[in-house]
Amino acid sequence: MSVDSNAFEMDPPAVVIGPDAVAPRQSDRVVFGLDGIHFIALLLRAAVLELMTLGLYRFWLTNDIRRFLWSHTSLEGERLEYSGHGHELFAGFLGAFAILVALSACIYGPSQLLDAAWLRYATIPLFFFLRQVATYQARRYRLSRTLWRGTRFWMDGSALGFAARAVLWDAVVLLTLGLAWPWRVAALERYQLGHSGYGVLPGRFDGEGSGLFRRVAWMWIVMMIPVGCLAYLAMTTAATLDWSPDASNEDLLSAILGPRSHIVPLIAVLLSPFVALTLFALYNAESWRWWVNGIRFGDVEPHCALSRSAMFGLYLKAGVVFTFAALCVTVLGVTAGLVALTISKISILDTASMEAALGALNDNHPYAVLALLAGGYIVIVLTFGAVSRFFFDYALWRVVLPTLSFKHLAAAEDIDAKGTPANALGEGLLGLLRIGGL
Amino acid sequence: MPETPHEAPAFYFDGRTNTRRLVTIRFLDALEITEGGAFVAAWPYPAIRRVDRYPDGLRLLAVGTPELSRLEIKDADSEVLILERCRWINEFDPHLPTILRRIVAPLMLVAVLLLLAIFVGIPFLGDRVAKATPDTIDMASGQLFASAFEAQAKALRCAAPSGLDALQHLVTTLHQASGVTIQPKVTVVSDPSDNALTLAGGLIVVYDGILRKAQNPDEFAGIIAHEMGHMAHRDFFRGLTAMTLEPVLLGLTFGDVTAAGLATKQTNGLIHGYTGRGIEFAADRYGAELLKSLGRPPSALGVILLRLADGGKGFEGLYADHPVGTDRAQAIGQIAPPATEGPDLLSPTEWDALKAICDHG
């Protein structure tokens, strides 16, 4: 059920190989040979299909994207194979949907009958826990669909055990204001990779939490500056504020913006979103490198040479394109409005007749107004979906994969196969729990 | 002399190890795979499927061989021959027309089924549920609401004694004329909004705002009669069915196409509005007919509905689960006035007492 590579076949035709071409050892580097334009073609076609199917095509799109990325990635001249199918994701979604509906009914029903509203809050920790279960199961699914040289990767271990560890670690991270994060990641990776393998080669994770901590601790310190500034502003404002009930909002605003000593902290707080995004990109570069360099399958040691600037560049481009897309949508909307006004011979300055015209349109053609709004919504959703898929599926691979190389790759040759394919229930759960905004 | 079959080198993975074996493929009755002259496997052409196809070759599997056994062909002639001979090659890897056949068509079917389920299936099911629910369950559900009301909103109930008597008189008159089996229990609550609702078990709640806007007993009786229409049609259970099933179906449709929560909510509102308006028209008809059977003008209901209705036009109107007042008044206008006029439903003293029902509560 994959996307057909035919549609993207633009490279030179097949090269005939002979026995000689087989023998020489090819590069131990990962080669990713896929042009962005082909990926964009895939996304455009998917957008049309999603429209035609009210969005139900998304499972097949996810599968198409993975198959596309995997099959254009090769190591030692051998392409990866993604052996999943769209209908598996769809089935996983249906199963997850049934589970969540049943669970919600088990909680909401008694909470209604016993008039115990607090019971409903039980869904929050439950879904948080389930999300961790789903994360593990989803990774198991993806890994078991990944083949190289006709042999699959696999993952065993207990998703529940993983989720319990993840939740406990989250509590520790919370208590340490985020400082324990690197150790959380390391512990969970040790569990996951410790239960993974390629054929008979067992996986493990050699990365240490302290290693990641040393690389990213400065980011935590930088982020503490705006947090501290915010606390300072809150405290000094609270001290000077008139707490009587008839104090007006203007007093509050002037208490925050007024004092000279507030200028620097205010600037720090206002700049913090941009700083946070930049740091997020840099963190990603560091954690990718640390993660890949810690992975082992038997004696095989991957190495990642990803640079911080490459990752920063990706996020910068994504930011620029998102902003540009938002601008385009706005300009398109405004232009359409202006054209409509010109056709109906109404001046933009004449707000009264403009409102009257809009009112008349709304009263007389409610379905047209609805269609316009729905159409605009769909255009926006599809555009931003495509942009984010381009950057965070394709461009991320483009940036990361070519920086990978392998030591002792010969250890992964001529080994026995092992492992069975996993079901996609976790993928379905993950997709559903993501909408919940958790 | 027979033509020699085409042969070419290829890579073979047997699915049991990851050893890359350089083999020779030969196009005989089946695709024969040999390694250094020794027979390895023979793949029947109809069993061969394409896994992936790249610019530099074709990766194949064969149904009925070990799950992960793969053959990688990198020469153009063999590729052409394979594509020629293997009829079912695309069953795993459809090109565009196959995508249409295998994905889009089923998905469109699912979409049509969803629409049918929402606009035909759920209303039908709601109708069944409404008709099949026995009075005992209706009453028991009503009891749940009644105790919830007692617990949370008791203070809102309007209970001036003479007003309650007048209300009881009006309700009894309407009930006797209606033939509804369950005894309606009408409560007026002290709230300025224009609203009235019917819950299970004959529980009818009327907001004081409506009572204040009613100019004569017939108008107010029209509203109660309309609500008794909801009772008679068991619309509570219709609504319950729809409210339970619609979000499930819609959630399933929109899933995670970013901001899907919004789409689900909007669509749910639209559907609810669409089906809700039909239910309201039916209750209007019932109420107007009930007034008529008591010899009172059915148009009284239309008059008060017009007075209560403001807004609800245009795009927002599509979301309103109550139809526009003018449309409702027009529909009620179709019903002919009664041939003989019946007695007043309430005496002027009773009407004054009813209007003041909230003044001492």
Side-chain angles (χ1 to χ4, degrees):
Chain A
M1 204 71 69
S2 94
V3 61
D4 181 0
S5 316
N6 264 338
F8 315 99
E9 199 170 5
M10 299 194 178
D11 305 65
V15 180
V16 180
I17 49 149
D20 292 345
V22 186
R25 191 170 175 78
Q26 301 191 26
S27 166
D28 285 353
R29 300 189 73 86
V30 171
V31 176
F32 182 57
L34 174 59
D35 276 347
I37 189 78
H38 298 157
F39 193 77
I40 289 171
L42 169 79
L43 289 178
L44 286 179
R45 200 177 57 182
V48 174
L49 288 170
E50 283 208 76
L51 260 182
M52 287 166 67
T53 58
L54 301 176
L56 277 174
Y57 183 71
R58 64 186 181 279
F59 305 104
W60 284 266
L61 170 63
T62 304
N63 194 70
D64 284 356
I65 287 178
R66 287 182 191 162
R67 188 167 277 240
F68 205 50
L69 293 175
W70 265 240
S71 70
H72 284 85
T73 303
S74 51
L75 176 59
E76 242 213 314
E78 193 62 43
R79 289 166 187 269
L80 292 185
E81 179 186 325
Y82 184 75
S83 61
H85 293 289
H87 60 80
E88 292 168 353
L89 291 178
F90 185 53
F93 166 78
L94 289 180
F97 196 84
I99 289 175
L100 287 189
V101 167
L103 272 178
S104 304
C106 287
I107 289 175
Y108 279 85
S111 99
Q112 280 290 353
L113 288 176
L114 304 173
D115 196 21
W118 58 269
L119 206 56
R120 264 170 262 171
Y121 294 111
T123 50
I124 296 172
L126 178 69
F127 284 2
F128 189 73
F129 179 80
L130 264 186
R131 204 188 131 78
Q132 300 298 341
V133 175
T135 307
Y136 195 83
Q137 297 277 39
R139 183 155 160 177
R140 195 204 302 260
Y141 172 79
R142 287 192 300 271
L143 209 55
S144 75
R145 304 285 151 172
T146 301
L147 314 181
W148 182 63
R149 295 172 63 113
T151 294
R152 67 162 42 92
F153 288 81
W154 50 264
M155 200 163 156
D156 55 15
S158 150
L160 291 177
F162 172 83
R165 283 171 176 80
V167 169
L168 285 177
W169 270 109
D170 280 332
V172 176
V173 168
L174 211 62
L175 289 175
T176 56
L177 298 176
L179 276 174
W181 178 258
W183 285 275
R184 174 201 189 268
V185 184
L188 296 183
E189 282 304 330
R190 262 197 295 282
Y191 186 84
Q192 292 181 92
L193 276 155
H195 288 96
S196 304
Y198 168 69
V200 291
L201 281 189
R204 65 176 197 279
F205 186 68
D206 280 358
E208 296 283 345
S210 55
L212 181 61
F213 181 77
R214 273 198 297 278
R215 294 187 201 185
V216 300
W218 66 272
M219 299 178 188
W220 186 86
I221 296 169
V222 171
M223 275 323 286
M224 279 301 119
I225 296 173
V227 172
C229 288
L230 204 63
Y232 169 78
L233 286 175
M235 267 153 53
T236 52
T237 310
T240 56
L241 210 59
D242 175 9
W243 287 96
S244 62
D246 41 64
S248 74
N249 283 333
E250 284 157 36
D251 294 342
L252 176 69
L253 210 62
S254 64
I256 296 172
L257 300 177
R260 280 183 155 270
S261 61
H262 280 188
I263 294 175
V264 175
L266 269 175
I267 292 175
V269 169
L270 289 177
L271 285 179
S272 62
F274 303 100
V275 177
L277 272 176
T278 309
L279 289 181
F280 184 66
L282 299 182
Y283 169 80
N284 262 327
E286 293 291 1
S287 70
W288 263 102
R289 223 166 41 214
W290 168 80
W291 178 64
V292 171
N293 292 341
I295 297 174
R296 299 286 180 273
F297 280 100
D299 289 335
V300 182
E301 286 181 28
H303 179 74
C304 175
L306 180 64
S307 72
R308 279 187 287 202
S309 58
M311 193 57 108
F312 179 68
L314 171 73
Y315 275 82
L316 192 66
K317 272 184 232 160
V320 169
V321 172
F322 267 111
T323 316
F324 182 70
L327 269 177
C328 282
V329 169
T330 317
V331 167
L332 215 70
V334 170
T335 316
L338 286 179
V339 168
L341 285 180
T342 318
I343 290 173
S344 46
K345 300 193 176 82
I346 298 171
S347 154
I348 348 169
L349 301 173
D350 186 1
T351 44
S353 56
M354 206 154 83
E355 268 172 30
L358 278 179
L361 178 70
N362 190 22
D363 284 352
N364 300 331
H365 304 286
Y367 285 101
V369 174
L370 181 72
L372 262 175
L373 288 175
Y377 169 78
I378 288 169
V379 166
I380 290 171
V381 166
L382 287 179
T383 309
F384 283 85
V387 170
S388 84
R389 277 178 171 133
F390 180 81
F391 279 103
F392 299 110
D393 288 335
Y394 166 75
L396 187 67
W397 277 64
R398 170 109 266 174
V399 166
V400 174
L401 285 180
T403 69
L404 303 183
S405 56
F406 288 82
K407 256 193 231 168
H408 312 307
L409 195 54
E413 285 166 24
D414 306 328
I415 58 165
D416 289 337
K418 191 185 160 184
T420 46
N423 68 46
L425 195 61
E427 293 265 4
L429 267 179
L430 201 61
L432 281 170
L433 292 174
R434 204 171 274 147
I435 329 170
L438 279 168
Chain B
M1 184 182 154
E3 199 181 331
T4 28
H6 177 79
E7 63 174 66
F11 289 134
Y12 177 70
F13 296 100
D14 61 14
R16 283 180 276 267
T17 71
N18 80 341
T19 307
R20 178 163 52 192
R21 295 159 70 175
L22 177 66
V23 294
T24 304
I25 50 169
R26 215 171 266 119
F27 289 82
L28 304 173
D29 289 342
L31 186 68
E32 191 198 67
I33 303 168
T34 55
E35 186 181 22
F39 175 82
V40 174
W43 283 8
Y45 295 113
I48 295 178
R49 302 283 182 275
R50 174 163 86 190
V51 178
D52 280 316
R53 187 181 183 195
Y54 340 106
D56 58 350
L58 205 53
R59 180 181 278 162
L60 304 170
L61 63 79
V63 177
T65 62
E67 186 202 347
L68 295 184
S69 62
R70 297 284 186 272
L71 190 65
E72 287 176 10
I73 292 171
K74 307 217 176 191
D75 81 280
D77 294 339
S78 302
E79 202 174 316
V80 171
L81 280 171
I82 287 282
L83 294 178
E84 249 173 43
R85 297 196 182 194
C86 306
R87 305 187 42 202
W88 305 105
I89 189 141
N90 283 326
E91 282 305 291
F92 276 176
D93 189 4
H95 46 78
L96 202 56
T98 327
I99 285 186
L100 282 173
R101 181 166 56 82
R102 295 199 35 177
I103 302 178
V104 179
L107 288 181
M108 298 276 268
L109 185 70
V110 170
V112 169
L113 284 177
L114 269 173
L115 290 176
L116 272 178
I118 286 170
F119 288 105
V120 182
I122 292 183
F124 176 77
L125 204 66
D127 203 45
R128 295 280 100 185
V129 170
K131 284 183 177 135
T133 307
D135 280 359
T136 47
I137 290 187
D138 198 347
M139 296 297 289
S141 319
Q143 203 52 49
L144 276 178
F145 284 107
S147 49
F149 184 85
E150 278 307 308
Q152 291 169 13
K154 198 178 176 183
L156 289 175
R157 173 184 288 151
C158 297
S162 54
L164 281 181
D165 290 343
L167 181 64
Q168 194 52 49
H169 180 195
L170 180 65
V171 172
T172 309
T173 313
L174 288 168
H175 180 220
Q176 279 165 359
S178 71
V180 175
T181 46
I182 295 178
Q183 170 75 38
K185 288 175 280 291
V186 182
T187 305
V188 179
V189 293
S190 175
D191 187 308
S193 25
D194 306 331
N195 205 355
L197 49 115
T198 302
L199 302 167
L203 228 57
I204 295 172
V205 179
V206 184
Y207 288 55
D208 188 29
I210 284 192
L211 185 52
R212 284 178 198 283
K213 284 189 182 140
Q215 287 177 354
N216 57 52
D218 288 341
E219 290 183 4
F220 187 66
I223 296 291
I224 305 273
H226 166 96
E227 295 303 324
M228 283 173 66
H230 284 313
M231 249 178 85
H233 300 151
R234 284 242 176 75
D235 288 333
F236 172 78
F237 292 96
R238 247 176 262 263
L240 192 68
T241 312
M243 269 158 52
T244 318
L245 296 180
E246 275 164 18
V248 171
L249 281 176
L250 291 176
L252 196 138
T253 309
F254 290 109
D256 64 356
V257 189
T258 38
L262 184 68
T264 309
K265 204 163 169 270
Q266 293 298 313
T267 317
N268 200 16
L270 267 179
I271 294 169
H272 201 66
Y274 180 81
T275 46
R277 288 193 293 275
I279 286 174
E280 291 306 318
F281 275 120
D284 281 347
R285 196 158 49 248
Y286 184 95
E289 294 285 1
L290 184 53
L291 280 186
K292 184 181 171 182
S293 72
L294 286 164
R296 307 306 305 170
S299 56
L301 176 57
V303 172
I304 187 167
L305 286 174
L306 265 183
R307 195 174 308 129
L308 295 174
D310 47 345
K313 270 195 101 177
F315 157 65
E316 297 86 2
L318 298 180
Y319 284 88
D321 54 6
H322 282 58
V324 182
T326 42
D327 296 351
R328 298 173 71 175
Q330 207 172 11
I332 293 167
Q334 309 283 319
I335 299 170
T340 51
E341 196 176 308
D344 284 348
L345 293 171
L346 292 175
S347 69
T349 347
E350 281 179 315
W351 176 234
D352 287 342
L354 180 55
K355 290 275 275 189
I357 190 170
C358 289
D359 289 355
H360 305 286

